[in-house]
Amino acid sequence: MHRARKASGVPVSEDNISDRFDILNGVDLAVFVLEIGADGLPRYVAINEQGRALTGFTRQDYIGKTARELFGGATGERAFAQQCQVAASGQEATYEITLPAVQRSAYLQTTLRPVFREDGTLTHLVGSSADVTSERERDTALQLAKSAVRKAEAASTAKEQFLANMSHEIRTPMNGILGVSELLKETALDDQQALLANTISNSADALLDIINDILDFSKIQVQGVTLHNEPFSLRGLVQDTGTLLWARADFKGLELRTEYPDGVPVRFTGDKNKIRQIILNLLGNAIKFTDAGWVTLRADYDRADPVFPLRLSVIDTGPGIDPSEKSRIFAAFEQADRTPTRRAEGTGLGLAITQALVERMGGRVDVESRLGEGSAFTVRLNLPIASAVPSASRDAAGQPPSGPAAVIPSPSRASDTAPQGLAQADASGPLAGLKILVAEDNKTNQLLVQKILEPTGAELKFVSNGRDAVEYYKKTPSPIVLMDLSMPFLGGLDATRQIRAFEAENHLPPCRIIALTANARPSDYDACTEAGMNAFLTKPFRKAELMAQVCQPDGPASV
């Protein structure tokens, strides 16, 4: 005889539970009743209609059987063990049982309660089961989804880190190749040597373009496109871009036109760097594929167009695009000319990157082309017009002087287009006596900086890690510090923080710290600014870029 351990069961009279179980069919749950036999084992005496429908058992299947005999296998053993535990403890219990099936297993959440006579003798166990298969599957799917998200995020982070490492490892030797070839071209060379030096330089430039395209495209895939919107001069951007690519067009005998009509607002709010990249991609493509004639970069603004009032068009007299090729020219790694004798090399990523950037800005890119006549790529955007900057050359609305469409002149072939101050820095040595601390662990990059800055008369001190840079600066403060980011013992960011702390503690004027780094991500620039650096120069850098940063007065961080 089983006696109640606690009064948590249901005391009933002898005829309260009998063969009259029809009332259980009115319960909207699977209900079953087990009777405690003389041997102390619980055996099934009733399962209501819902229970029979759920399990598929008939009365002949279950009557007088234990769970071990009814279900068999692991399911039967587990159910039988749970029932015996409730019978032994006299305590209600809730547990889950899995009913295996060929196509879909069912998960039952069961609550089992002991039933006692008035004298405390255990006579029956009454259980109710709810089918929680959908909830379990939902929870499992949710867990799988969360796991998949975590794995995707981990893969994305790993890919981003790989890209950052690859960028760093590629840009570091590229800095040596480009910098040394640039310095080599400035030495006395005969025609054959000059040809070889130019070939090295041009090949390195082409390789850098490919590297940048691949990294840009990969970063867009991993991170998407993040916009940094701020007011900027679109007119100045168009002019600067045309000036930048004029030499490339002139080398091919092309006329490069940049047009900015006076009806187009001068200043907009948007991501200036992304728009520059869009224009450079389109203009560079047009110059690359055009062999004769002209290439035009033109801005237009249609105030009557509420959707895309701003249009930036690049028009050329190149070979044009076959209509059958138009649908895929914006696909990654594709070019309209896929023949073995194609005239232009490249990754085929420029237009894919351009489209991704434009679409992120809420715009679109259209192309019109006639085979043998030329092409026109038009970027359509809706950028907010920014407040005008007061200037003597603009009216109150911020427009340039009224008149016909302005053609921004291309720079002349004269050498006066070189950056101002660079010739004086090279020739007259305005940095004579200026102490410059260079923290750089790569010997090639040390040599490059030395060859660029030595002729200026600056006093250079080279250290190969951030720890030595801090120690030297504390003994001999230098007005300018060129700081690599990735170095042994102590990185450039931590070294910068320690230098700034030393200056603050000793009331010293802050030096100008310039990051010279192969880390080219926006987050790297932000980290440098946060650490207290004044400028950020990405490897590979050119002589003119380094000189411009060294000669620049102290101010906020710049690129």
Side-chain angles (χ1 to χ4, degrees):
M1 278 241 190
H2 292 266
R3 298 283 179 182
R5 308 300 170 93
K6 289 187 182 177
S8 61
V10 180
V12 294
S13 64
E14 187 74 36
D15 359 332
N16 266 1
I17 296 182
S18 62
D19 289 335
R20 300 191 299 270
F21 295 113
D22 290 344
I23 192 173
L24 299 180
N25 294 327
V27 181
D28 193 21
L29 284 173
V31 179
F32 57 92
V33 180
L34 300 105
E35 185 177 49
I36 307 300
D39 56 0
L41 299 181
R43 290 179 172 84
Y44 286 93
V45 293
I47 299 179
N48 71 349
E49 290 179 354
Q50 288 82 354
R52 294 196 296 271
L54 184 62
T55 60
F57 295 140
T58 65
R59 177 177 173 81
Q60 288 72 25
D61 293 329
Y62 67 78
I63 194 71
K65 293 182 180 179
T66 65
R68 178 188 292 163
E69 296 166 335
L70 180 61
F71 294 102
T75 300
E77 290 291 343
R78 185 163 185 270
F80 182 71
Q82 291 283 358
Q83 293 166 4
C84 289
Q85 183 179 353
V86 171
S89 66
Q91 297 291 311
E92 177 181 313
T94 299
Y95 54 91
E96 282 194 8
I97 291 293
T98 304
L99 296 181
V102 176
Q103 294 185 346
R104 184 191 187 203
S105 296
Y107 298 92
L108 306 181
Q109 186 176 70
T110 298
T111 298
L112 190 62
R113 301 183 66 186
V115 178
F116 304 93
R117 288 196 187 104
E118 292 180 354
D119 62 0
T121 303
L122 177 66
T123 61
H124 294 81
L125 302 177
V126 177
S128 61
S129 296
D131 187 352
V132 293
T133 305
S134 298
E135 289 82 350
R136 282 287 301 272
E137 290 178 343
R138 181 194 61 205
D139 293 343
T140 301
L142 184 60
Q143 291 175 359
L144 290 174
K146 289 180 178 179
S147 176
V149 169
R150 286 194 297 268
K151 290 180 179 179
E153 290 174 346
S156 178
T157 301
K159 185 176 180 181
E160 181 182 0
Q161 188 59 47
F162 170 76
L163 289 173
N165 293 340
M166 185 176 72
S167 174
H168 182 276
E169 295 304 318
I170 292 175
R171 288 176 182 275
T172 297
M174 283 296 296
N175 191 51
I177 296 171
L178 281 169
V180 171
S181 65
E182 185 178 21
L183 293 174
L184 181 62
K185 290 194 296 183
E186 294 180 358
T187 63
L189 303 174
D190 59 32
D191 292 343
Q192 183 67 17
Q193 292 169 333
L195 175 63
L196 296 176
N198 283 326
T199 301
I200 294 173
S201 181
N202 293 336
S203 298
D205 280 333
L207 177 59
L208 183 61
D209 287 341
I210 293 172
I211 292 169
N212 287 336
D213 277 350
I214 293 174
L215 292 177
D216 284 345
F217 184 71
S218 298
K219 281 188 285 188
I220 287 173
Q221 285 188 312
V222 173
Q223 305 170 342
V225 179
T226 302
L227 301 179
H228 302 280
N229 295 325
E230 59 184 4
F232 71 98
S233 170
L234 180 62
R235 188 179 192 275
L237 182 60
V238 168
Q239 182 174 9
D240 292 344
T241 308
T243 302
L244 183 64
L245 294 182
W246 170 83
R248 190 184 302 181
D250 184 67
F251 178 77
K252 296 186 68 174
L254 302 175
E255 180 184 357
L256 178 58
R257 307 169 180 173
T258 47
E259 301 178 356
Y260 205 98
D262 60 3
V264 180
V266 173
R267 291 175 59 80
F268 292 86
T269 297
D271 193 318
K272 176 182 179 180
N273 292 328
K274 297 292 192 301
I275 294 174
R276 177 190 287 113
Q277 185 175 3
I278 290 168
I279 296 174
L280 284 172
N281 284 347
L282 294 178
L283 205 55
N285 259 10
I287 294 171
K288 180 195 298 185
F289 289 101
T290 302
D291 291 332
W294 46 264
V295 175
T296 297
L297 168 60
R298 178 181 174 86
D300 291 287
Y301 195 84
D302 183 1
R303 298 179 186 273
D305 186 345
V307 182
F308 299 120
L310 177 62
R311 296 191 297 273
L312 299 172
S313 303
V314 174
I315 310 165
D316 64 60
T317 56
I321 302 170
D322 189 286
S324 64
E325 303 288 342
K326 281 187 182 181
S327 61
R328 61 178 193 80
I329 58 174
F330 290 100
F333 305 106
E334 291 284 0
Q335 287 190 351
D337 183 4
R338 290 183 291 176
T339 63
T341 57
R342 70 182 188 184
R343 295 171 297 173
E345 298 296 330
T347 59
L349 287 173
L351 290 179
I353 294 171
T354 296
Q355 186 178 53
L357 295 176
V358 172
E359 289 180 350
R360 179 63 180 85
M361 296 178 186
R364 76 167 193 255
V365 186
D366 296 334
V367 57
E368 297 180 6
S369 183
R370 291 187 179 180
L371 202 59
E373 296 184 16
S375 304
F377 286 82
T378 302
V379 174
R380 302 178 184 272
L381 296 169
N382 189 356
L383 300 181
I385 299 175
S387 302
V389 176
S391 171
S393 61
R394 294 190 176 98
D395 59 22
Q399 303 290 350
S402 59
V407 177
I408 302 173
S410 297
S412 67
R413 298 173 189 265
S415 60
D416 59 5
T417 59
Q420 294 297 317
L422 179 57
Q424 292 136 334
D426 288 339
S428 59
L431 304 181
L434 178 67
K435 291 182 173 62
I436 299 179
L437 172 60
V438 183
E440 169 65 67
D441 63 326
N442 184 277
K443 297 299 182 183
T444 301
N445 290 331
Q446 287 185 6
L447 175 64
L448 178 61
V449 172
Q450 179 184 0
K451 293 299 182 182
I452 291 176
L453 295 181
E454 258 188 352
T456 68
E459 296 181 11
L460 304 177
K461 171 62 179 179
F462 289 90
V463 294
S464 58
N465 60 74
R467 183 182 62 189
D468 291 347
V470 174
E471 291 178 358
Y472 180 84
Y473 186 83
K474 289 181 177 179
K475 296 175 183 176
T476 312
S478 305
I480 296 178
V481 178
L482 305 181
M483 185 78 75
D484 188 18
L485 294 191
S486 300
M487 293 182 292
F489 304 117
L490 188 69
L493 295 177
D494 288 331
T496 298
R497 294 187 183 100
Q498 292 186 23
I499 288 175
R500 294 304 188 209
F502 173 77
E503 291 170 338
E505 291 171 3
N506 293 274
H507 308 288
L508 297 175
C511 64
R512 179 171 174 79
I513 303 180
I514 303 168
L516 299 184
T517 176
N519 300 329
R521 296 174 298 178
S523 58
D524 297 315
Y525 171 78
D526 294 338
C528 289
T529 304
E530 184 274 333
M533 294 185 176
N534 302 89
F536 185 89
L537 199 54
T538 303
K539 299 173 184 174
F541 54 82
R542 304 306 177 93
K543 177 180 178 180
E545 294 171 339
L546 178 59
M547 289 300 303
Q549 291 292 356
V550 170
C551 296
Q552 181 176 323
D554 291 345
S558 59
V559 179

